[in-house]
Amino acid sequence: LSKDYIKINTQGSGEIIVYEDGSVRSGTWEKNSSKLDSRLVFYDNDGKEIVFLPGNKWVEIVTN
């Protein structure tokens, strides 16, 4: 794995709120495998993959 990834052993899907460039949008996230190298994908409410602006990102994972 790249040094830019934090190892999070999770799998499934859920809701997201994205704050970027002064706007807020909601959507969903999905990760189909608990393997550490599997991709975490973010979708908008229309089901399209979110393309983030270049730069650093902060991801906060909240569990029940």
Side-chain angles (χ1 to χ4, degrees):
L1 289 177
S2 166
K3 66 172 181 56
D4 297 325
Y5 286 87
I6 298 173
K7 296 177 182 177
I8 299 173
N9 187 14
T10 191
Q11 179 179 356
S13 62
E15 297 178 12
I16 61 166
I17 300 173
V18 176
Y19 301 91
E20 184 178 49
D21 198 29
S23 66
V24 179
R25 55 187 161 160
S26 58
T28 59
W29 65 270
E30 185 175 287
K31 188 170 182 224
N32 293 323
S33 172
S34 63
K35 292 181 180 180
L36 293 177
D37 62 350
S38 66
R39 194 164 168 245
L40 179 62
V41 184
F42 301 94
Y43 298 99
D44 65 18
N45 284 329
D46 294 326
K48 296 178 184 172
E49 186 173 345
I50 295 174
V51 177
F52 292 101
L53 297 173
N56 294 330
K57 302 295 174 241
W58 178 277
V59 177
E60 184 173 343
I61 299 173
V62 180
T63 61
N64 292 340

